[in-house]
Amino acid sequence: MSISPVSPVLVDRFGRTVDYLRISITDRCDFRCVYCMSEEMTFLPRAQILTLEEINYIAQAFAELGVTKIRITGGEPLVRRGVLALLETLGKIDSLNELVLSSNGSKLEEMAEAIKQAGVKRINISLDTLDAAKFREITRTGDLKQVLRGIFAAKKAGFKRLKINSVILKNRNHLEVIDLVQFAINSGIDISFIEEMPLGLINSHDRVEVYYSSDSIKADLEQVFKLQAVADNTGGPSVYFKVIGTDTRVGFISPHSANFCSTCNRVRLTVEGRLLLCLGNEHSVDLKKVIRANPSNMDKLKQTIIEAMKIKPEQHEFDLTEQPIILRHMSATGG
Ligand code: SAM
Ligand code: SF4
């Protein structure tokens, strides 16, 4: 299906244009990262989650409304059966400049080449430590070697850009930031450090106690590397620095210490088909209900999406010390 580009129609009350959609295609995962999930998780029943056809249909609507970038995420998107066919279909939407993916890397060794062929331009891969035992502790089930093989397979497949995402927790992995950057430099890829966000109930730690700010990480890195600020051209919340003398950029995503909401250009489609207007608020519209009640009525779907822009909140209000936190996990949300 070929869709001609249109002028942006998704504009919210604060004048922000939405041109980026993140889609969680599954809440399931082969890992149980301590900041993302509890050890025992109850996943959603199949009837409650969007089918791949429904995801594709909604993605087409967004593309017709001016969205030019889609990120497929989860949960671990590569554990959902049929993901390659979905990527291939989305990869054929002419007006999409960028189809990108987030993954924990566990399946990349066997899938990287096919993902590239499907039209995915960039992959963000989670990696919080280079210590195998610690990796197992943080992910609870993950195998570091398998993920490293996945990263190398992705590198070999020749993606336009690869980036590591590291969530840094004090006294768990905060002493590893230098090694992680050195690994990124040696591998010729980028890296972003993320402050932990209070999404979903977890049982492994107190989020206040493990908070380690982006400023602290940057100060640690500057003991070893020379960092030079660069203009961010990805339109995202990362603030980027180039590591002088290398091809690597280091990004900081700081939901607590630096608010990035004024330039927010994104919305999220949850695995249940809710259009979530902000990661840190519950404002949402049930698109699954709309498409199941009005099958094949693309105009109705598009009108609902346009209307939804009116409830996009101005900014998130994360407070690590306050209860209740947001109960939805990052995995169901499209992190
Ligand atoms: N499974 C894939 C992965 O791990 O990259 C994609 C989904 S995961 C939810 C997307 C990103 O969210 C990962 O980089 C992960 O580290 C991050 N993440 C998960 N829970 C988080 C939290 N509570 N705070 C900050 N980042 C989180
Ligand atoms: Fe799975 Fe990614 Fe969440 Fe880790 S961060 S549990 S890999 S969805």
Side-chain angles (χ1 to χ4, degrees):
M1 181 176 184
S2 162
I3 295 162
S4 55
V6 287
S7 53
V9 278
L10 299 181
V11 181
D12 75 359
R13 289 174 297 153
F14 307 99
R16 296 171 298 192
T17 297
V18 169
D19 56 11
Y20 179 15
L21 173 68
R22 296 167 78 106
I23 308 178
S24 173
I25 66 165
T26 178
D27 58 336
R28 287 161 201 265
C29 187
D30 47 351
F31 292 1
R32 295 283 182 279
C33 302
V34 291
Y35 46 75
C36 180
M37 295 192 179
S38 22
E39 198 149 18
E40 300 300 325
M41 289 289 290
T42 310
F43 294 110
L44 293 164
R46 190 162 290 272
Q48 227 163 296
I49 71 169
L50 292 175
T51 64
L52 293 178
E53 291 71 26
E54 288 171 331
I55 292 171
N56 180 40
Y57 185 66
I58 294 174
Q60 300 280 350
F62 272 95
E64 291 181 27
L65 290 170
V67 161
T68 55
K69 175 174 174 183
I70 291 183
R71 175 173 299 280
I72 297 301
T73 178
E76 174 48 37
L78 301 184
V79 303
R80 178 140 188 197
R81 200 173 306 150
V83 59
L84 282 176
L86 174 72
L87 292 174
E88 268 166 30
T89 314
L90 297 180
K92 292 196 180 92
I93 301 178
D94 289 342
S95 59
L96 263 195
N97 296 337
E98 280 198 290
L99 176 61
V100 297
L101 178 77
S102 289
S103 170
N104 65 20
S106 70
K107 303 241 172 311
L108 279 179
E109 188 180 16
E110 58 266 29
M111 295 176 79
E113 188 58 50
I115 292 168
K116 174 83 176 23
Q117 293 305 324
V120 172
K121 297 280 189 309
R122 301 191 283 118
I123 309 184
N124 288 352
I125 304 165
S126 284
L127 182 70
D128 302 322
T129 171
L130 293 163
D131 176 310
K134 219 177 273 180
F135 186 85
R136 173 56 70 113
E137 246 174 61
I138 292 177
T139 61
R140 293 200 182 96
T141 59
D143 174 2
L144 175 67
K145 280 197 181 135
Q146 188 184 18
V147 169
L148 293 180
R149 287 198 302 271
I151 293 173
F152 296 135
K155 183 82 190 148
K156 194 160 157 232
F159 287 92
K160 193 168 141 197
R161 203 171 131 221
L162 293 176
K163 181 161 74 90
I164 290 169
N165 274 342
S166 303
V167 176
I168 299 301
L169 309 177
K170 188 155 89 187
N171 295 329
R172 282 249 167 146
N173 62 345
H174 81 276
L175 294 176
E176 301 201 33
V177 295
I178 290 168
D179 287 351
L180 285 164
V181 169
Q182 193 58 56
F183 173 80
I185 293 170
N186 296 346
S187 312
I189 58 187
D190 293 336
I191 180 164
S192 276
F193 293 104
I194 310 174
E195 290 178 350
E196 187 188 25
M197 296 174 231
L199 298 175
L201 288 172
I202 54 165
N203 54 8
S204 71
H205 57 266
D206 179 333
R207 298 208 200 245
V208 178
E209 279 171 17
V210 301
Y211 176 62
Y212 199 68
S213 72
S214 293
D215 282 348
S216 309
I217 299 170
K218 185 161 170 280
D220 295 345
L221 295 179
E222 281 172 331
Q223 306 281 330
V224 177
F225 305 106
K226 280 205 161 50
L227 302 181
Q228 186 181 54
V230 289
D232 177 18
N233 53 14
T234 62
S238 270
V239 176
Y240 281 106
F241 294 81
K242 191 168 170 54
V243 185
I244 304 281
T246 76
D247 291 333
T248 293
R249 296 193 318 162
V250 179
F252 297 94
I253 303 177
S254 320
H256 303 291
S257 56
N259 191 290
F260 41 69
C261 302
S262 64
T263 56
C264 183
N265 65 342
R266 63 201 56 199
V267 290
R268 292 171 165 84
L269 181 63
T270 73
V271 69
E272 289 179 281
R274 261 198 313 145
L275 176 62
L276 189 65
L277 282 311
C278 169
L279 186 60
N281 283 285
E282 289 301 350
H283 303 63
S284 70
V285 174
D286 189 347
L287 295 186
K288 182 178 67 188
K289 201 162 149 199
V290 173
I291 57 174
R292 289 190 183 174
N294 306 274
S296 307
N297 189 341
M298 186 55 111
D299 286 343
K300 172 85 185 165
L301 173 60
K302 286 207 273 190
Q303 201 49 45
T304 307
I305 296 170
I306 292 169
E307 288 289 313
M309 294 304 123
K310 291 187 187 150
I311 60 162
K312 186 168 166 60
E314 187 170 15
Q315 60 180 50
H316 67 246
E317 303 285 354
F318 288 141
D319 184 344
L320 290 174
T321 60
E322 220 171 71
Q323 297 287 346
I325 53 167
I326 289 187
L327 291 178
R328 79 189 129 65
H329 286 95
M330 186 73 118
S331 48
T333 299

